[in-house]
Amino acid sequence: MKHLRSIPELGVDGIVRILNLADHMVEVNRRPVPKVPALVGRTVVSLFFEDSTRTRISFETAAKRLSADTMTFSVSTSSVNKGESLRDTVETVDAMGVAAFIVRHKTSGVPWQLSEWTDASIINAGDGWHQHPTQALLDCHTIRTELGRSVGRECLAGLRIAIVGDVRHSRVARSDIQAFTALGAHVIVVGPRTLLPPEVHTWPVAVTSDLDSVIGDVDVLYMLRMQRERMNEALVPDLGEYSNRFALDRARASRLRADCLVMHPGPMNRGVEMMVDPSDLARSVITRQVSNGVAVRMAVLFDALGEANSEVSS
Ligand code: NCD
């Protein structure tokens, strides 16, 4: 794999390969010195044109644990503010000798555009509403590990996964649905009609606006963040009303099956979609998602940049 731009481009074999490599990276991360020389001398640049805390730090931690050199391009202090185009920015940084760009941008499709302007690997860290493939991979890895599933192509077979909330604006939902269903899970999309995309009926999912009818019968409850920064119209007339119908509150939490995993990509809107403290829930794996994110991103960088014969375990 040279680029990781979307889940469909990666395909089911690619997903399984990354998840298995991530198992190895989890082991590396447990060592007293969680660092291997796999990417010595390679430079990885993060180009984040949108705000981010966990994704950027997670990628940079992953790159450092593989001994890559890392550079961060921060838009707020860059020549983008002097009118530099995306192409000039990429070509300028590329001229310094870069092995991979990790890119986040508010416009869908930017990772594909970038790969026309540079020979470096492109890793998509979120493009608009479109894709967030490493989030989907770390979510699959978390479910697979926490539920003790097999390591093969059908590792999520038979699981019922509800994805709840603002699906319309969510690149996480789009990538997760593609990855979960590719691995055999049954996905139920739950949200108010105004926050479901018009094309949802063409997706390989069940759809409902009644969270209470499914909450007691799922293996994974995946809560999405309400993406208020992406809404340019009033899609939710009243946030309180939204929370009444779609938030995870105490009453709903008490109806979850004892072994049901609760997940959220972060950052959470407490009091909007999350009315309970996740640490009060028996099986919240939200912080596991964050720690698995580092291992999964190490696997992605190694898969894209590692030499065929280089040893991660050395
Ligand atoms: C997500 C994102 O930015 O797409 N967050 C993340 O990567 N941790 C989800 C979100 O912002 O709601």
Side-chain angles (χ1 to χ4, degrees):
M1 167 187 91
K2 176 170 181 185
H3 305 301
L4 176 61
R5 296 174 298 198
S6 72
I7 290 295
E9 268 186 8
L10 182 61
V12 64
D13 290 330
I15 297 173
V16 172
R17 187 178 70 246
I18 300 288
L19 298 185
N20 291 342
L21 200 47
D23 285 341
H24 186 75
M25 298 303 178
V26 167
E27 186 272 306
V28 169
N29 287 338
R30 286 202 192 109
R31 296 178 191 173
V33 180
K35 195 158 176 143
V36 287
L39 301 185
V40 168
R42 317 298 300 277
T43 299
V44 173
V45 174
S46 32
L47 275 181
F48 275 59
F49 293 88
E50 255 190 7
D51 296 342
S52 168
T53 318
R54 73 203 73 217
T55 305
R56 187 169 58 75
I57 292 176
S58 178
F59 266 113
E60 289 172 7
T61 305
K64 286 186 201 306
R65 289 193 179 170
L66 296 173
S67 305
D69 294 323
T70 56
M71 293 198 293
T72 303
F73 173 90
S74 164
V75 175
S76 57
T77 54
S78 75
S79 295
V80 168
N81 291 333
K82 299 180 187 166
E84 186 171 70
S85 74
L86 179 61
R87 180 170 189 159
D88 286 341
T89 304
V90 169
E91 289 180 348
T92 302
V93 179
D94 193 38
M96 299 174 196
V98 169
F101 285 102
I102 296 160
V103 62
R104 171 171 284 197
H105 201 283
K106 67 177 189 310
T107 307
S108 298
V110 159
W112 284 263
Q113 187 142 48
L114 251 54
S115 42
E116 288 171 16
W117 298 330
T118 165
D119 289 332
S121 288
I122 303 295
I123 313 291
N124 186 357
D127 63 324
W129 305 2
H130 181 222
Q131 281 283 316
H132 193 349
T134 56
Q135 180 72 45
L137 291 166
L138 75 89
D139 289 335
C140 291
H141 190 265
T142 303
I143 297 171
R144 186 176 97 159
T145 330
E146 292 297 320
L147 296 181
R149 308 291 294 201
S150 72
V151 295
R153 290 168 63 106
E154 292 283 303
C155 60
L156 304 189
L159 293 180
R160 286 169 58 79
I161 305 179
I163 299 184
V164 183
D166 184 4
V167 176
R168 182 185 178 118
H169 301 98
S170 176
R171 53 195 175 206
V172 172
R174 285 175 178 77
S175 290
D176 269 351
I177 288 167
Q178 288 165 340
F180 294 163
T181 55
L183 298 176
H186 174 68
V187 175
I188 307 146
V189 161
V190 188
R193 294 281 150 190
T194 49
L195 292 181
L196 299 179
E199 73 279 12
V200 72
H201 293 287
T202 65
W203 295 358
V205 296
V207 181
T208 178
S209 292
D210 183 1
L211 177 57
D212 293 314
S213 69
V214 297
I215 197 156
D217 185 32
V218 289
D219 300 285
V220 178
L221 182 71
Y222 197 104
M223 303 300 294
L224 295 171
R225 183 174 67 88
M226 177 71 93
Q227 313 243 319
R228 282 178 285 186
E229 78 281 13
R230 297 193 198 283
M231 292 184 196
N232 43 21
E233 54 200 294
L235 293 171
V236 179
D238 176 351
L239 270 186
E241 166 65 14
Y242 173 84
S243 300
N244 282 342
R245 292 178 59 203
F246 298 102
L248 182 58
D249 57 14
R250 278 177 188 281
R252 292 200 176 98
S254 70
R255 295 191 48 221
L256 291 170
R257 286 200 341 230
D259 58 350
C260 175
L261 302 182
V262 176
M263 303 177 71
H264 192 298
M268 257 183 280
N269 284 313
R270 289 181 192 263
V272 181
E273 72 269 0
M274 288 298 275
M275 310 280 278
V276 283
D277 190 334
S279 58
D280 292 340
L281 300 171
R283 298 230 57 194
S284 159
V285 291
I286 297 170
T287 47
R288 291 286 168 80
Q289 288 172 271
V290 177
S291 32
N292 283 332
V294 175
V296 164
R297 291 177 174 120
M298 288 167 75
V300 166
L301 289 171
F302 182 75
D303 197 74
L305 302 182
E307 301 299 328
N309 55 0
S310 107
E311 255 299 322
V312 265
S313 51
S314 58

